[in-house]
Amino acid sequence: MARIGEDVGQLLDALGVDRASWTDGSMPSATPLTGEQIGVVQVVDGAAIDERLDAATAAFRSWRQIPAPRRGELVRLWGEELRAAKDDLAKLVTIEAGKIPSEGAGEVQEMIDICDFAVGLSRQLYGLTIATERPGHRMMEVWHPLGVVGVISAFNFPVAVWAWNAALALVCGNSVVWKPSEKTPLTALATHAIFARAVARFGDAPDGLAQLLIGGREAGEALVDDKRVALVSATGSTRMGRAVAPRLAERFARAILELGGNNGVIVAPSADLDLALRGVAFGAMGTAGQRCTTTRRLFLHDSIYDGFVARLKAAYASVGVGNPLEGEVLVGPLIDRAAYEMMQQALAAASAAGGVIHGGTRVGEGASYYVKPALVEMPGQVGPVLEETFAPILYVMRYYDLGAVIDLHNDVAAGLSSAIFTTDMREAERFLVASDCGIANVNLGTSGAEIGGAFGGEKETGGGRESGSDAWRQYMRRATNTVNYSDALPLAQGVSFEL
């Protein structure tokens, strides 16, 4: 087996993954770094899916009875296990998802951070005491565990997205069933092995509390369609969301949808251009453009356009592209050939619409797909600029008026992340009020959200929220309780019903 394959075997052994689960299966896993096969994983389908959903349902009935601070102790132990395994899991993320090492490590750190957040949250699942119009009554709002939570995650964040959902779902009293991307099954196996060690240390967690469904479309559809699953949190394309949302709505299940993002940045004349250059460069090129928060549209004021584009061209020409295990590079590979082909189709469409393309060409040959990030000067927001292409393509446009460019910025289907670079307080505030995205930043880029804030977006991004703030409420059900401690029975709104 090639060197990367040997590395994977050593990593999975160190992470406690059963060898049979990734060497004796039917679903191949390949690394985008070289294209070579690094595992053949076992698929869960048919009756096995049903059994795991049964187990998750039984686990929920037991887990919901455990006090929330005690549930938080399991998540605390999980965070400890993640700290111990951080380096190995981060390297596995690099190998299977193609991220550069700092991004792989950053993703595992996100898991650790959300564990810390959730542990504190386990003592803060607060309801309200509400003023009542009836004398001798008390009204309050109480939050209860919801049920089985299904998580469908994408390849670009193969471990963190599950952790965002699982940490909150667990402290809220739910069981979790995870369907990871078919492109990153090994990181899912490793993540579950780490969690299993925390469960063993915890001692009294019910069997089936966290289940893993490795497989294809059938496994995802099982989570979406099964009435035992109370909530599905699905991360992926808008196309995927269009299929998932109606099926969940048909059975009145809850949905957290984290879908596409066509994220824009405005650079105003007053901006700190050094700061803006760094923010735009990372937002556009980080993770090889394969983030939902990737910067895809850049609006430059006419007075700074030529100089800023020249600096961007220089940055794009100098950025290192290659295997992140073999050198100091900032841009790793696209996940597969299909991603490369979609990128080339978008660039062809941009050229046909009058765009001037810098970069975008393939680096190297073989079964891996490395590309130079593309900077495309566009005459306007037309053609492929209106769509999300999951690749490092940055469309650059000129603007003259702030109000007009904010309208243009909002005139796309998705509404995830947005940013403005300016030192003018009035410009900043106008943008924050007007941006129709779930995330709006000033003097930092569109990528790199931290776990303390709720993550998600509007319009075709799906409206879901994960991670921080009060996102925990989506994993619980709310009950309004009223207690009458008087010997009378007054009715609300002054209604009289005397027998």
Side-chain angles (χ1 to χ4, degrees):
M1 186 176 282
R3 183 177 63 82
I4 290 182
E6 293 173 355
D7 284 349
V8 167
Q10 293 170 3
L11 287 171
L12 292 174
D13 286 343
L15 290 164
V17 179
D18 177 39
R19 275 194 167 255
S21 67
W22 64 275
T23 60
D24 187 22
S26 59
M27 177 188 287
S29 174
T31 171
L33 302 184
T34 62
E36 73 179 86
Q37 183 172 303
I38 53 175
V40 186
V41 299
Q42 296 176 355
V43 172
V44 180
D45 55 17
I49 293 177
D50 190 62
E51 290 173 1
R52 296 194 183 190
L53 288 174
D54 267 345
T57 302
F60 162 67
R61 291 176 182 144
S62 173
W63 187 242
R64 68 182 177 181
Q65 302 297 330
I66 295 175
R70 174 65 179 158
R71 299 193 297 251
E73 173 64 8
L74 172 58
V75 176
R76 187 189 70 80
L77 294 172
W78 178 25
E80 286 188 355
E81 294 295 336
L82 284 168
R83 285 178 170 86
K86 179 178 177 179
D87 291 345
D88 287 340
L89 184 57
K91 186 172 182 181
L92 187 59
V93 169
T94 290
I95 291 172
E96 195 171 38
K99 292 188 172 185
I100 62 173
S102 66
E103 288 188 304
E107 180 166 356
V108 181
Q109 187 61 48
E110 277 192 70
M111 303 174 77
I112 295 167
D113 292 345
I114 198 64
C115 285
D116 288 349
F117 180 89
V119 171
L121 180 64
S122 69
R123 295 180 181 271
Q124 300 178 73
L125 302 175
Y126 299 141
L128 299 172
T129 298
I130 304 168
T132 171
E133 65 190 66
R134 291 171 284 187
H137 286 59
R138 177 166 59 87
M139 186 161 56
M140 56 190 175
E141 183 179 87
V142 181
W143 295 87
H144 300 282
L146 181 64
V148 178
V149 171
V151 180
I152 300 173
S153 62
F155 77 86
N156 59 325
F157 278 83
V159 293
V161 167
W162 177 71
W164 288 357
N165 285 277
L168 298 191
L170 288 167
V171 298
C172 288
N174 307 303
S175 58
V176 185
V177 183
W178 179 23
K179 193 278 180 192
S181 170
E182 301 95 313
K183 298 176 183 179
T184 53
L186 300 183
T187 49
L189 288 170
T191 300
H192 250 245
I194 294 167
F195 182 76
R197 290 198 288 277
V199 169
R201 291 175 60 192
F202 183 75
D204 59 351
D207 292 339
L209 184 60
Q211 298 281 348
L212 182 61
L213 300 184
I214 289 181
R217 187 182 184 94
E218 179 186 2
E221 289 179 341
L223 291 182
V224 171
D225 294 337
D226 199 293
K227 65 182 181 180
R228 290 168 290 187
V229 181
L231 163 70
V232 173
S233 176
T235 301
S237 67
T238 297
R239 178 182 59 82
M240 181 270 285
R242 291 189 195 283
V244 167
R247 293 169 75 155
L248 291 171
E250 185 175 358
R251 65 180 183 88
F252 299 102
R254 292 193 193 178
I256 299 175
L257 299 178
E258 298 288 355
L259 309 176
N262 191 356
N263 312 295
V265 170
I266 298 169
V267 182
S270 69
D272 179 331
L273 297 184
D274 292 336
L275 193 70
L277 183 69
R278 293 179 58 199
V280 170
F282 171 68
M285 293 188 281
T287 324
Q290 298 171 120
R291 287 185 180 223
C292 54
T293 55
T294 290
T295 304
R296 307 199 182 279
R297 297 174 297 137
L298 176 62
F299 302 96
L300 300 174
H301 190 269
D302 176 67
S303 64
I304 61 169
Y305 183 95
D306 292 335
F308 198 84
V309 167
R311 295 183 67 184
L312 269 178
K313 287 179 185 177
Y316 270 58
S318 65
V319 73
V321 178
N323 186 332
L325 295 181
E326 296 181 349
E328 293 294 325
V329 300
L330 293 178
V331 178
L334 294 174
I335 191 65
D336 56 22
R337 178 178 177 177
Y340 171 75
E341 290 176 347
M342 283 191 290
M343 179 179 180
Q344 298 310 306
Q345 290 167 8
L347 291 175
S351 179
V356 178
I357 300 170
H358 311 280
T361 55
R362 189 176 178 187
V363 177
E365 299 177 341
S368 56
Y369 291 86
Y370 295 87
V371 293
K372 289 184 178 294
L375 184 68
V376 185
E377 296 182 75
M378 292 295 293
Q381 188 162 267
V382 295
V385 184
L386 295 169
E387 303 170 359
E388 178 190 44
T389 301
F390 223 54
I393 302 175
L394 178 63
Y395 300 108
V396 186
M397 291 157 282
R398 193 184 302 260
Y399 85 90
Y400 300 88
D401 174 74
L402 181 63
V405 77
I406 291 176
D407 289 343
L408 191 64
H409 168 275
N410 290 347
D411 193 23
V412 292
L416 179 53
S417 189
S418 60
I420 188 171
F421 284 86
T422 178
T423 56
D424 184 320
M425 182 183 70
R426 289 174 296 180
E427 286 186 328
E429 293 295 336
R430 284 181 64 187
F431 175 78
L432 292 176
V433 169
S435 172
D436 63 2
C437 294
I439 299 169
N441 296 329
V442 175
N443 293 329
L444 68 158
T446 59
S447 277
E450 55 185 280
I451 60 92
F455 180 88
E458 302 301 322
K459 302 189 294 186
E460 290 189 1
T461 302
R465 293 296 186 275
E466 295 172 318
S467 194
S469 186
D470 65 350
W472 63 270
R473 295 186 178 196
Q474 297 168 105
Y475 303 87
M476 304 196 82
R477 62 178 179 85
R478 181 193 333 229
T480 300
N481 304 151
T482 304
V483 177
N484 178 4
Y485 56 89
S486 74
D487 57 4
L489 192 66
L491 300 177
Q493 294 85 46
V495 172
S496 177
F497 192 84
E498 298 296 334
L499 294 176

